[in-house]
Amino acid sequence: MSFISYLINGISLGSVYAIIALGYTMVYGIAKMLNFAHGDVIMIGAYVVMAAMTGMGLHPAVAIILAAVFCTVLGIVIESVAYRPLLNAASSLAVLITAIGVSYLLQNIALLVFGANTISFPKALSLPAISLADGALTITGEAIVTIVSCIVIMVVLNVFIHESKAGQAMLAVSEDKGAAQLMGINVNGTIALTFAIGSALAAFAGVLLCSAYPTLTPYTGAMPGIKAFVAAVFGGIGSIPGALIGGLLLGIIEIFGKAYISSQMADAIVFGVLILILLVKPTGILGKNIQEKV
């Protein structure tokens, strides 16, 4: 039963990585930018939930909605102030440096507001655990909510992108920004919408992450953000199904690495597997080779 328990924990953790990876893969797929500040938006969302529940006494559901709205606005502000001026930059290095700068800015703002001490995250998801096989296997309520939420988010996002007018605009911008603009699509608005969706999902992922591991610091989102980026690369960055596959694969590898090899070596194992996958398939599992015309 321990194997199944580890597998469920891996799928649960991988579901969180998949939700976070959606932000990376959508922004890269549409704007061709790597938003390395995305992990810190997770941390900001978790702090908003914590402040709303403990400081304002709000119901967890209301606190989560408030965090999603706050992070949505934050994502739009980050895109318009930090990234939009660099949309047509000659070098992608400028965008990368700006993303790192925004990441450190958010971390230091959190340090100034909340301090460097580790805070116990309030119980935002209070669901009973499920016992199977006469108690030999227990699935926590947080794990169930995380896995179900990941599936629902992936389905809704796929339907939104392929069925809605805004989603069709996203697909058009991802193919060719210039041609999309000539067809009357608001490219800047579409990119801003992408950041908004990714940031809202980051807030929800922050709640799921901190509910499973109930501690919070200004650096909480740093490593999960990096691992979610790895998950996006695993699955093929730019592919939404790839983000799901990459996230689940990453979570399972990490949990099994901790359980059967070494908890200290788990991160090294994850990045080692990434290197092996990229050696075999440089574009990721569902990534496609794109030939650029010169």
Side-chain angles (χ1 to χ4, degrees):
M1 285 297 176
S2 60
F3 176 86
I4 299 175
S5 179
Y6 293 143
L7 180 62
I8 293 172
N9 289 336
I11 292 173
S12 176
L13 179 61
S15 297
V16 176
Y17 288 151
I19 294 172
I20 303 171
L22 281 173
Y24 285 109
T25 205
M26 287 180 65
V27 169
Y28 182 82
I30 293 168
K32 299 299 183 286
M33 294 179 179
L34 292 176
N35 179 24
F36 281 116
H38 189 63
D40 298 288
V41 177
I42 300 167
M43 172 267 298
I44 295 294
Y47 268 117
V48 172
V49 172
M50 182 273 298
M53 289 181 64
T54 59
M56 302 169 63
L58 296 180
H59 189 274
V62 178
I64 293 171
I65 294 171
L66 180 62
V69 172
F70 185 90
C71 288
T72 298
V73 175
L74 178 63
I76 294 172
V77 170
I78 291 173
E79 187 276 332
S80 60
V81 174
Y83 296 136
R84 188 176 298 177
L86 303 173
L87 189 59
N88 298 315
S91 173
S92 59
L93 187 61
V95 179
L96 181 61
I97 293 172
T98 301
I100 294 172
V102 173
S103 174
Y104 281 112
L105 174 64
L106 294 177
Q107 287 180 12
N108 281 274
I109 289 174
L111 278 169
L112 289 172
V113 175
F114 299 103
N117 295 330
T118 300
I119 300 174
S120 179
F121 190 76
K123 199 168 184 63
L125 302 175
S126 54
L127 292 174
I130 296 177
S131 295
L132 302 174
D134 295 329
L137 176 63
T138 301
I139 306 174
T140 64
E142 289 83 359
I144 296 170
V145 171
T146 301
I147 295 169
V148 172
S149 298
C150 179
I151 295 171
V152 171
I153 287 170
M154 290 292 175
V155 171
V156 170
L157 197 57
N158 262 302
V159 172
F160 171 77
I161 288 177
H162 291 96
E163 300 296 334
S164 71
K165 188 175 180 180
Q168 293 294 313
M170 288 180 178
L171 292 175
V173 172
S174 69
E175 288 292 330
D176 192 319
K177 292 187 185 70
Q181 194 164 18
L182 289 174
M183 295 298 293
I185 294 174
N186 184 346
V187 173
N188 289 335
T190 301
I191 293 174
L193 177 62
T194 304
F195 271 83
I197 293 173
S199 298
L201 293 177
F204 193 58
V207 175
L208 296 174
L209 180 67
C210 291
S211 295
Y213 305 94
T215 57
L216 182 58
T217 72
Y219 308 105
T220 291
M223 184 54 73
I226 293 173
K227 289 180 179 178
F229 174 69
V230 172
V233 175
F234 263 161
I237 193 162
S239 168
I240 291 177
L244 174 61
I245 293 173
L248 294 178
L249 179 62
L250 186 77
I252 291 170
I253 291 172
E254 181 175 339
I255 294 298
F256 277 117
K258 288 180 179 179
Y260 292 113
I261 301 176
S262 169
S263 59
Q264 287 79 21
M265 291 291 292
D267 291 343
I269 293 168
V270 166
F271 290 108
V273 172
L274 171 66
I275 293 171
L276 291 176
I277 288 179
L278 294 183
L279 286 174
V280 176
K281 200 171 189 304
T283 57
I285 296 172
L286 297 184
K288 297 179 181 179
N289 289 314
I290 300 175
Q291 296 181 352
E292 294 186 0
K293 296 181 180 179
V294 180

